[in-house]
Amino acid sequence: MPAIIVRDAAPADRSAWGGMWAANYTHHGATMGEAEVDELWRRVLHPDHPVCALVSAAADDRDLLGFAHYVLHPHTFSSRTVCYLEDLWVAPAARGTGVGRHLIEALVERGRARGWRRLYWHTEADNEPARRLYDRVAKLTDYVRYDVDLT
């Protein structure tokens, strides 16, 4: 695998990101209309919106290999910002090559540089490939998540 770069998403990434995003939400059993996808992309690119995205590419920066959507939010136990890694997706052909690790490491580096308090995320209990990575780069907590569907 050639060298991997991680950078902020850019307008020219829309098509490649869109294909990976569709694969991600389909994988999770979700559907999204084009207007919703367009709105997410608008938010990702807006510099003042709390929803952000990093993308990963080979060093030649031609083909996207993955993305990380993250949400910055305040925290009640600290005045420092907290970062929630909401989506991490690596193209199937690039899995196992370090793309996911590079995306997480880039968020860790960004958070340290910007004074964030914490980076956190959730995953499915049976997502063994992802959990092997997560066990190497983060600490598993005892928190249990509850959801109330408001639709």
Side-chain angles (χ1 to χ4, degrees):
M1 182 74 178
I4 297 168
I5 63 167
V6 175
R7 58 173 174 75
D8 290 309
D13 299 324
R14 174 60 172 93
S15 179
W17 167 88
M20 287 191 297
W21 176 237
N24 178 284
Y25 67 71
T26 300
H27 169 80
H28 290 286
T31 58
M32 290 183 76
E34 195 58 34
E36 289 176 299
V37 174
D38 287 343
E39 174 58 16
L40 173 57
W41 186 245
R42 185 197 67 74
R43 286 189 252 161
V44 160
L45 293 181
H46 193 286
D48 296 326
H49 200 280
V51 175
C52 309
L54 294 177
V55 295
S56 180
D60 62 13
D61 202 20
R62 281 192 273 180
D63 296 318
L64 293 188
L65 304 172
F67 65 80
H69 294 153
Y70 61 101
V71 181
L72 301 174
H73 64 87
H75 189 273
T76 57
F77 285 86
S78 172
S79 61
R80 294 164 55 196
T81 297
V82 173
C83 179
Y84 173 54
L85 173 58
E86 187 156 2
D87 304 297
L88 181 69
W89 183 261
V90 175
R95 292 181 183 161
T97 64
V99 172
R101 181 177 48 81
H102 279 12
L103 285 161
I104 292 170
E105 287 173 351
L107 276 175
V108 168
E109 183 177 310
R110 180 170 285 194
R112 286 184 176 136
R114 296 180 182 179
W116 300 345
R117 181 170 191 254
R118 176 178 54 224
L119 166 64
Y120 71 102
W121 61 89
H122 302 102
T123 195
E124 295 88 358
D126 64 352
N127 188 350
E128 292 176 17
R131 291 189 67 186
R132 280 192 296 274
L133 167 64
Y134 302 158
D135 287 343
R136 288 192 309 268
V137 299
K139 175 187 167 202
L140 178 64
T141 69
D142 293 329
Y143 280 87
V144 176
R145 189 181 98 179
Y146 293 88
D147 290 349
V148 175
D149 187 357
L150 302 175
T151 56

